[in-house]
Amino acid sequence: LNLNADEYSDQDKMKASAVGLEQLHLSQRRRILRVSAGSSSSSSTSAFLSPKATTIRAAVEEGLKQYEKGEYVAALSMFEAALSLPPKQNEKAEKQAAYYDMACCYAKLKRADEGLNALRQAVEMGYDEAKQILKDADLAPLRKAEG
């Protein structure tokens, strides 16, 4: 897994700085969840009200809320809980998001080996946004650790 950002075009760099890296990676995760929802009409709002999420998607969304508050250990727990829930139809992207977000949490917690492992699992499950991995500011400690 190569995480070096030398392959960015100037256009990618300008886009990333214009949007803001922090905002970019969070919006990317939400996009993954929206796309995976497909034609599902269930509301994710209940996940934010319930202390225990009952679907992978709801647990990932709750984890993102914790992550945005800087509560990385709590977020990590929600992402791990998401992966322990029984899968429902069309939840592959949610699992990818959970692994990706776990990698971000581990990076913030300075646990690079675990972060790289979580990122590998996201890729193995089909996460293919290489540019996102390379420019996500939260994954910078993982890129440094990989050398």
Side-chain angles (χ1 to χ4, degrees):
L1 189 63
N2 183 2
L3 299 177
N4 292 320
D6 296 336
E7 300 171 17
Y8 289 147
S9 70
D10 288 337
Q11 185 178 13
D12 287 336
K13 290 176 185 174
M14 287 176 27
K15 180 181 175 187
S17 64
V19 174
L21 288 174
E22 189 72 18
Q23 199 173 28
L24 182 66
H25 79 272
L26 290 172
S27 65
Q28 172 69 14
R29 292 179 209 159
R30 288 194 178 97
R31 185 189 65 77
I32 291 169
L33 291 174
R34 278 195 307 273
V35 169
S36 70
S39 61
S40 173
S41 61
S42 64
S43 171
S44 62
T45 311
S46 62
F48 297 116
L49 302 175
S50 172
K52 287 211 169 205
T54 58
T55 66
I56 295 170
R57 179 187 179 103
V60 169
E61 289 181 352
E62 182 64 28
L64 285 173
K65 278 185 58 180
Q66 300 302 317
Y67 188 91
E68 289 174 5
K69 294 179 190 175
E71 297 173 5
Y72 305 119
V73 173
L76 185 57
S77 293
M78 288 307 299
F79 300 137
E80 289 171 341
L83 294 170
S84 70
L85 291 169
K88 296 187 179 180
Q89 188 175 16
N90 300 323
E91 287 192 320
K92 183 177 179 181
E94 283 88 346
K95 285 191 170 195
Q96 292 170 9
Y99 280 119
Y100 184 93
D101 294 333
M102 285 174 63
C104 291
C105 287
Y106 284 128
K108 289 287 192 178
L109 295 169
K110 298 179 182 7
R111 294 165 58 182
D113 289 341
E114 292 162 295
L116 287 169
N117 185 46
L119 195 54
R120 280 187 196 98
Q121 289 176 302
V123 170
E124 287 171 7
M125 290 208 63
Y127 184 80
D128 61 357
E129 299 286 337
K131 285 185 180 181
Q132 180 63 30
I133 292 170
L134 293 174
K135 64 185 173 184
D136 190 332
D138 289 343
L139 296 177
L142 303 185
R143 289 190 291 273
K144 289 177 186 173
E146 190 179 60

